[in-house]
Amino acid sequence: MSLPSVPGLCFLLSLSGAEAQVAKGPCNWCPLHGYCVNSTHCTCNPGFISGSGKRFFTYPLEICKDIDECKPPISIYCGLNAECKNVEGSFHCRCVPGYELLSGDVQFNNSNENTCQNITSSKTPNGHTELQQIVNNFESLLTNQTFWGAGSKQEVASTASSILQNVESKVLETALRAPGQKIQKVQNSTVAVETRVVSDNCSEERKAFRLHTQMNSVDIHCIDVIQGRTQGPSAVAFISYASLGNILNATFFEKADEKDPLYLNSQVVSAAVAPRRNSSLSQSVTLTFQNLKVGGSRAGPGQVL
Ligand SMILES: *[C@@H]1O[C@H](CO)[C@@H](O)[C@H](O)[C@H]1NC(C)=O
Ligand SMILES: *[C@@H]1O[C@H](CO)[C@@H](O)[C@H](O)[C@H]1NC(C)=O
Ligand SMILES: *[C@@H]1O[C@H](CO)[C@@H](O)[C@H](O)[C@H]1NC(C)=O
Ligand SMILES: *[C@@H]1O[C@H](CO)[C@@H](O)[C@H](O)[C@H]1NC(C)=O
Ligand SMILES: *[C@@H]1O[C@H](CO)[C@@H](O)[C@H](O)[C@H]1NC(C)=O
Ligand SMILES: *[C@@H]1O[C@H](CO)[C@@H](O)[C@H](O)[C@H]1NC(C)=O
Ligand SMILES: *[C@@H]1O[C@H](CO)[C@@H](O)[C@H](O)[C@H]1NC(C)=O
Ligand SMILES: *[C@@H]1O[C@H](CO)[C@@H](O)[C@H](O)[C@H]1NC(C)=O
């Protein structure tokens, strides 16, 4: 009677079979977290490394160890206020205690997805309440028919543009006063605002940001937010107005006539950066709108703005 010549085989067989052996090929002895590459050699699953460091191995007592991606030499970087968490065969990033992802999710995969923000400061009402107050004030103005009905077209136009500029400045000032609240979002029924503060020369930040309000979004590069400013916070604001179409409507435009009705087919949006406000941008900024009306109109083409 002869035992198999491979010394490790008895030991391997005595382990609970399914776990100890993965029968994926003719070399049916590969260790847990490993598999056969051909009739003689095993390799470890992604996220694991063999005890000997060899990529392909034949030694039957070889084991596949988890790679700790959070430690050197890999040392995954998760970004500010975040930490890397190793798990078997993989890893993930999560915000450090006191911080959470804007989305409310618990995990993310790399520093580009890092939106960790201080929970305490996002729940302290100060900046947030102030921003909400600004939005509410402008909302009551924008929806005040008496106010808008009174002026000539010229007056309406200049009032509307000064309001847009005013909202931009107030919102950006508020964001910059509370740089700890990296991302803020407030809205009322017609005005929606998102602000984002960049505090560190874009080195720790995502390369480009997307800000969303209502049905619209803007993509802007971090360096166009800081505009060369490397010390102190800079901010970008994206604002959308669902009600401006009621003011800047068909009757507002001289060209409009009954045959060719004119309408705004998206919400009015504005994007601005501070404290440096230079109109020259190094990268293109993408604005994405969702149409308010879809497809061919019933009566004639209609003009879309
Ligand atoms: C099995 O794969 C290993 C690693 O690629 C290789 O070195 C070896 O020659 C292969 N053996 C056979 C029989 O194909
Ligand atoms: C992270 O990566 C895993 C695996 O690649 C994927 O399933 C998951 O959706 C990713 N998570 C995010 C937030 O992208
Ligand atoms: C969060 O922000 C608040 C107020 O800005 C600050 O007092 C607190 O120390 C911060 N918490 C952490 C964990 O950084
Ligand atoms: C929206 O603004 C109005 C004032 O225009 C205010 O009375 C109302 O409370 C605001 N709504 C919310 C949800 O903040
Ligand atoms: C609307 O505007 C008119 C004229 O400017 C003003 O007198 C009135 O107080 C405003 N109404 C509200 C609700 O703000
Ligand atoms: C900011 O970043 C730019 C480009 O990455 C670099 O050239 C510059 O030296 C940095 N400035 C500071 C103060 O870190
Ligand atoms: C169009 O806008 C004017 C003010 O600019 C307003 O008086 C009028 O009611 C609006 N018409 C419609 C159909 O919204
Ligand atoms: C804006 O940018 C242009 C070109 O980069 C530069 O010449 C100008 O001085 C800048 N203006 C301000 C106010 O920073």
Side-chain angles (χ1 to χ4, degrees):
M1 174 176 136
S2 66
L3 282 170
S5 56
V6 180
L9 198 55
C10 290
F11 168 72
L12 280 170
L13 289 173
S14 68
L15 291 173
S16 72
E19 280 210 335
Q21 301 177 27
V22 182
K24 278 188 192 158
C27 74
N28 60 0
W29 57 269
C30 293
L32 181 62
H33 307 304
Y35 62 95
C36 296
V37 287
N38 56 28
S39 59
T40 53
H41 285 66
C42 296
T43 195
C44 293
N45 292 341
F48 293 86
I49 188 168
S50 70
S52 65
K54 286 192 183 128
R55 175 139 181 243
F56 302 106
F57 49 88
T58 52
Y59 178 52
L61 287 185
E62 190 73 89
I63 52 162
C64 287
K65 301 183 298 183
D66 174 48
I67 298 171
D68 190 340
E69 292 86 352
C70 301
K71 294 217 170 100
I74 302 180
S75 301
I76 294 283
Y77 177 62
C78 291
L80 280 184
N81 304 320
E83 62 194 4
C84 177
K85 176 85 184 148
N86 182 53
V87 295
E88 198 166 76
S90 185
F91 72 92
H92 55 251
C93 293
R94 61 181 186 191
C95 301
V96 298
Y99 289 78
E100 67 181 18
L101 287 177
L102 189 61
S103 63
D105 290 348
V106 180
Q107 301 176 5
F108 56 103
N109 287 342
N110 61 56
S111 60
N112 283 346
E113 293 164 7
N114 180 330
T115 57
C116 296
Q117 59 172 8
N118 185 331
I119 299 170
T120 338
S121 59
S122 68
K123 291 199 174 137
T124 44
N126 299 332
H128 198 73
T129 315
E130 211 182 323
L131 206 55
Q132 184 73 56
Q133 196 55 53
I134 294 167
V135 165
N136 292 355
N137 290 347
F138 282 102
E139 166 132 322
S140 64
L141 195 58
L142 288 168
T143 52
N144 184 340
Q145 290 298 330
T146 330
F147 178 72
W148 292 101
S152 68
K153 280 180 193 172
Q154 204 95 58
E155 286 166 341
V156 168
S158 73
T159 308
S161 41
S162 82
I163 285 180
L164 295 191
Q165 282 169 9
N166 234 310
V167 176
E168 283 176 2
S169 323
K170 289 232 153 67
V171 158
L172 286 166
E173 272 168 31
T174 308
L176 287 170
R177 267 203 301 276
Q181 294 165 259
K182 243 178 163 178
I183 298 172
Q184 296 199 68
K185 264 173 114 81
V186 300
Q187 63 177 9
N188 206 311
S189 58
T190 72
V191 184
V193 174
E194 179 169 350
T195 61
R196 176 152 192 152
V197 178
V198 179
S199 303
D200 63 352
N201 194 19
C202 295
S203 55
E204 304 283 351
E205 303 283 347
R206 303 171 61 158
K207 293 289 172 236
F209 308 124
R210 169 165 295 183
L211 282 72
H212 276 283
T213 58
Q214 294 168 334
M215 313 185 299
N216 318 293
S217 66
V218 64
D219 294 279
I220 185 167
H221 202 280
C222 188
I223 59 178
D224 286 320
V225 175
I226 65 171
Q227 301 255 344
R229 185 179 146 97
T230 54
Q231 311 251 290
S234 297
V236 54
F238 185 57
I239 308 151
S240 66
Y241 301 87
S243 63
L244 267 183
N246 300 334
I247 297 159
L248 304 177
N249 59 21
T251 46
F252 182 80
F253 295 95
E254 283 182 304
K255 279 198 211 133
D257 60 46
E258 278 145 35
K259 253 179 36 208
D260 230 4
L262 192 73
Y263 60 91
L264 281 174
N265 200 18
S266 72
Q267 294 175 340
V268 174
V269 301
S270 89
V273 298
R276 293 222 172 137
R277 313 193 68 168
N278 199 332
S279 53
S280 59
L281 296 168
S282 68
Q283 314 268 324
S284 56
V285 168
T286 309
L287 288 168
T288 311
F289 299 96
Q290 186 176 316
N291 285 349
L292 298 173
K293 295 182 185 175
V294 197
S297 55
R298 291 146 287 143
Q303 279 180 281
V304 183
L305 288 174

